[in-house]
Amino acid sequence: MKVAILYHSETGNTERMAELIKEGAESVPGVEARIMRVERLDTAYLAEAAVAAFGCPTYEGTCSWQMKKLLDTPGLPLGGKLGGVFASQNWPGGGGADLAEITMIAGMLVRGMIVYSGGITSGSPPLHFGAVSTRRPQGFDEERCRKLGVNLAEKGLELFGE
Ligand SMILES: Cc1cc2nc3c(=O)[nH]c(=O)nc-3n(C[C@H](O)[C@H](O)[C@H](O)COP(=O)(O)O)c2cc1C
């Protein structure tokens, strides 16, 4: 099963999150994952993927305009896929990563995706809307990214098989 991880990143923090999510997803047998910048989508791979994760930095308390532009682009092959979100922010406790994630989730729902994180019922570390990191992911933030990858891969296999 293929997992596509789409992200916007200017200074590398969200990109590192994407790499960790890929690591987590590929730790699940039978799963391959690819990360792709919003500016250089591999649409052929995306079309084949059963799972698609979206990640961006928080800009002005919500999702970056570069990610919003992607989500507003007609014709992306997203319908019916399982999806999850991740976001980085500069300011812990209120930088806006949660709203960034909810904004991406709204776009994913409108595109007919099935949104999932695993929440607080899929083991440790717990996730809420998705993985969140403050600046470069370290420690608990790194674990949350890997866990999101594992959760999406396992749920994708459960829903779609190989
Ligand atoms: C235009 C702009 C607006 C930003 N707004 C916020 C914000 O509202 N809250 C916050 O916590 N961080 C904010 N940041 C910081 C970034 O979200 C943070 O540095 C992030 O980790 C950058 O991700 P990247 O390295 O993937 O580009 C902003 C950064 C920029 C460039």
Side-chain angles (χ1 to χ4, degrees), residues 70-149:
L70 175 81
L71 288 166
D72 290 350
T73 304
L76 288 178
L78 297 175
K81 294 186 196 303
L82 182 70
V85 293
F86 54 105
S88 77
Q89 62 183 359
N90 201 26
W91 303 107
D98 283 354
L99 183 57
E101 292 190 337
I102 289 293
T103 303
M104 288 187 278
I105 286 170
M108 294 157 75
L109 288 173
V110 171
R111 295 311 178 102
M113 296 185 70
I114 307 160
V115 178
Y116 185 70
S117 73
I120 58 171
T121 58
S122 295
S124 181
L127 296 164
H128 285 80
F129 304 149
V132 170
S133 176
T134 298
R135 304 179 200 114
R136 189 75 44 157
Q138 287 177 347
F140 191 61
D141 288 350
E142 283 183 305
E143 285 178 49
R144 286 197 292 201
C145 291
R146 286 198 191 93
K147 186 66 164 62
L148 179 65

Side-chain angles (χ1 to χ4, degrees), residues 8-15 57-61 88-91 95-96 135:
H8 164 234
S9 180
E10 297 292 330
T11 55
N13 298 339
T14 317
E15 181 169 63
T58 304
Y59 281 0
E60 310 307 331
S88 77
Q89 62 183 359
N90 201 26
W91 303 107
R135 304 179 200 114

Side-chain angles (χ1 to χ4, degrees), residues 4-92:
I5 301 165
L6 292 65
Y7 68 95
H8 164 234
S9 180
E10 297 292 330
T11 55
N13 298 339
T14 317
E15 181 169 63
R16 179 66 189 138
M17 296 179 80
E19 290 166 356
L20 292 162
I21 291 163
K22 173 176 154 63
E23 262 179 48
E26 290 190 330
S27 72
V28 177
V31 173
E32 68 163 269
R34 189 170 296 180
I35 66 171
M36 48 186 94
R37 304 183 64 89
V38 290
E39 306 90 340
R40 287 198 298 275
L41 283 193
D42 182 342
T43 46
Y45 188 92
L46 178 60
E48 289 172 3
V51 178
F54 292 79
C56 69
T58 304
Y59 281 0
E60 310 307 331
T62 186
C63 114
S64 67
W65 65 263
Q66 291 89 341
M67 173 53 73
K68 186 67 170 62
K69 182 179 170 193
L70 175 81
L71 288 166
D72 290 350
T73 304
L76 288 178
L78 297 175
K81 294 186 196 303
L82 182 70
V85 293
F86 54 105
S88 77
Q89 62 183 359
N90 201 26
W91 303 107

